Amino acid sequence: MARSKLNALVRSLTLAASVGAPCLAAAADLMLPPPPPPPPPPIEVGGGWYLRGDVGASIYTRPRYSDAYDYTGYAESNRAFGNAVGGGGFAGVGVGYQFTPFLRGDITGEYRYSTGLRGSEYYKGPDFDNGLGSYGVNKSSGNFDSAVVLANAYFDLGTWYGITPFIGGGVGYAFNHVSSYSTNQQFTSPTYAYDYTNAGCGCIPYAPVYDPNGNPVYNTNSGSKFYKDKTSGSFAWALHAGLAYNVTDALKIELAYRYLNLGKAETGPGFVPCCTGSLQAIKIKDIEAHDVKIGLRYYLGGFVAAPLPPLMPEPIPGPLVRKY
């Protein structure tokens, strides 16, 4: 009896296997279609290129003048100078590139607006009779403006809460322009006159003149010189330090300090209206500026969408069936 049941079970399993095997084989022959290809990555345009614009204000240090400005041959101890360049403003634009997250560079061009150029020399002249001294005052005035091109490199020192401190330096060339420059010389000395009171002894030459109160009378002689306008080139260099704030990923705003050395400038030849001779030009040396500026940097780098698929996409293939 037990053997009969076992034989019946074996026959049932054999029948089930013979019926299901073709179905399993057919299922194995059906393969799923491949997944669709991933969309192409977005295209980057612009890279690390950026545009910039700056405006600012300047305070100039006291420059030096060439010997042509010195009307006298007196020792330095007898002279005092008061040379100055007035404060001014500037505006500029530039293009740059972000090489790494910490290093960038740009080339800038700016115009520095016209400002007053002033010079003065005070000197002590010779002493005359009775201890009466003399002195002179030489003054100059003109206008100064400049166009500057700089190649700059900056080191960004990291970003905290959207603020990035940076330092940098630059070298370039300045086109310095001096215009409407003139000088005025005044020399004050005691007034002398002949004394004709003692006719028997002749005249006593050059006795000092005193007013009724016993004060010496002084006389002032003056003369003016004028100089032609001139633009001259000079090596320029700069040091930068500042903070940048990330308004967006592409837009930065800067607040920065800059030391700018503009080199030297000079006038054209000088002349005196009543004379035809040409005078030596005056050179202004060591023109230095301390600048405070606000700037904007806009990065051109960005991503655009991938190309659109063709208007008639290819049909998706159906399941593959293996045939034997």
Side-chain angles (χ1 to χ4, degrees), residues 20 34 44 47 49 51-52 61 132 156 266-267 300 303-304:
E44 183 180 2
W49 292 99
L51 302 176
R52 69 173 303 135
T61 60
L132 301 179
D156 295 327
E266 64 179 301
T267 68
L300 303 177
F303 294 92
V304 298

Side-chain angles (χ1 to χ4, degrees), residues 197-292:
T197 58
N198 191 344
C201 298
C203 61
I204 302 176
Y206 292 103
V209 177
Y210 292 85
D211 64 16
N213 296 323
N215 298 318
V217 177
Y218 281 86
N219 179 54
T220 299
N221 297 315
S222 63
S224 297
K225 300 177 182 179
F226 301 87
Y227 295 82
K228 296 182 178 180
D229 300 350
K230 183 174 182 179
T231 299
S232 54
S234 180
F235 174 76
W237 59 277
L239 297 175
H240 309 268
L243 300 172
Y245 177 71
N246 298 339
V247 180
T248 67
D249 290 339
L251 181 63
K252 322 291 181 183
I253 184 170
E254 292 182 0
L255 176 63
Y257 161 80
R258 178 179 66 183
Y259 166 82
L260 179 61
N261 190 308
L262 295 166
K264 61 184 179 180
E266 64 179 301
T267 68
F271 61 94
V272 178
C274 64
C275 306
T276 58
S278 178
L279 304 176
Q280 183 179 354
I282 293 178
K283 295 182 179 180
I284 302 97
K285 306 175 182 179
D286 299 337
I287 305 174
E288 302 172 322
H290 297 279
D291 299 337
V292 176

Side-chain angles (χ1 to χ4, degrees), residues 65-88:
Y65 285 78
S66 66
D67 293 338
Y69 175 73
D70 177 18
Y71 293 94
T72 70
Y74 299 114
E76 288 284 346
S77 59
N78 288 343
R79 306 204 309 270
F81 298 91
N83 308 323
V85 181

Side-chain angles (χ1 to χ4, degrees), residues 5 39 53 108 121 143 147-148 165 278 281 320:
K5 291 181 178 181
T108 59
E121 178 191 20
N143 297 318
V148 186
S278 178
L320 300 178

Side-chain angles (χ1 to χ4, degrees), residues 7 12 21 30 38 54 57 61 66 74 109 112 128 134 152 167 169-170 200 241 249 275 288 296 302 311 315 322-323:
N7 293 334
S12 298
L30 295 177
D54 300 274
T61 60
S66 66
Y74 299 114
R112 305 180 69 85
F128 291 86
S134 62
N152 306 286
I167 58 175
D249 290 339
C275 306
E288 302 172 322
L296 290 176
L311 296 178
R322 294 178 181 174
K323 297 181 178 181

